[in-house]
Amino acid sequence: MKNNNRAYPILFTISLVVIMNLFTSCYYDKEEILYPDTTCDTSVVKYSTAILPVLSSNCISCHGGSTPSAAINLSNYAGVKQQVDNGRLWGAVSHSANYSPMPKNGGQLNTCNLAKLRIWIAAGALNN
Ligand code: HEC
């Protein structure tokens, strides 16, 4: 009986260590917390796989359909390329002075999406 009683504090300490370990390992195993940049893959930035999804989820609700806002249609490559070439697309998403900040009434695109747009535009805004 005496031996059993002595075992409790030891068992308690061991389980405490195990539980704490579980918590900390779960936290530190999260890649996005340890390496925030690895979640933004800018190694291959193509119109079809990187740019179109960003525009589709942030811009096309207004700049698409039969009557696109400001007559700017971003639902097809030709429309996007036109706004790249006249400098308005980057001016708007980067919130540069003299451009209307986009997405309108929404927060600025996150740094990852801005990086993708910048890289794609710098590489010639290809229809790839
Ligand atoms: C809620 C609707 C809405 C959304 C979402 C939106 N726009 Fe616009 N956009 C507008 C309107 C309306 C205008 C006309 C200018 C104004 O009213 O600010 C405009 C203007 C623009 C212009 C011209 C800006 C200038 O100063 O010449 C560009 C380029 C543009 N939008 C690109 C985008 C891009 C890229 C996105 C997504 C990242 C986007 N817009 C999202 C409504 C929207």
Side-chain angles (χ1 to χ4, degrees):
M1 278 302 167
K2 241 189 165 185
N3 280 346
N4 274 349
N5 283 344
R6 221 181 280 154
Y8 284 128
I10 297 168
L11 279 174
F12 179 75
T13 310
I14 291 172
S15 29
L16 206 71
V17 168
V18 167
I19 289 167
M20 282 169 70
N21 221 353
L22 278 177
F23 274 111
T24 51
S25 59
C26 283
Y27 176 79
Y28 287 113
D29 279 353
K30 280 194 174 146
E31 194 182 66
E32 60 268 32
I33 292 172
L34 268 182
Y35 313 105
D37 280 338
T38 59
T39 55
C40 184
D41 185 2
T42 52
S43 52
V44 181
V45 180
K46 292 185 173 182
Y47 175 70
S48 55
T49 54
I51 303 305
L52 195 57
V54 173
L55 301 180
S56 295
S57 42
N58 296 286
C59 319
I60 283 170
S61 58
C62 296
H63 296 287
S66 49
T67 54
S69 290
I72 292 172
N73 193 339
L74 301 178
S75 64
N76 59 69
Y77 174 76
V80 175
K81 184 70 163 60
Q82 187 184 43
Q83 297 307 312
V84 168
D85 289 347
N86 66 21
R88 285 169 187 262
L89 193 129
W90 181 251
V93 297
S94 64
H95 292 189
S96 298
N98 303 325
Y99 292 97
S100 188
M102 293 291 141
K104 197 172 180 67
N105 305 329
Q108 189 171 22
L109 295 176
N110 64 38
T111 46
C112 184
N113 287 336
L114 283 174
K116 287 175 182 173
L117 279 164
R118 185 172 39 76
I119 290 166
W120 178 70
I121 291 169
L126 303 177
N127 187 6
N128 52 10

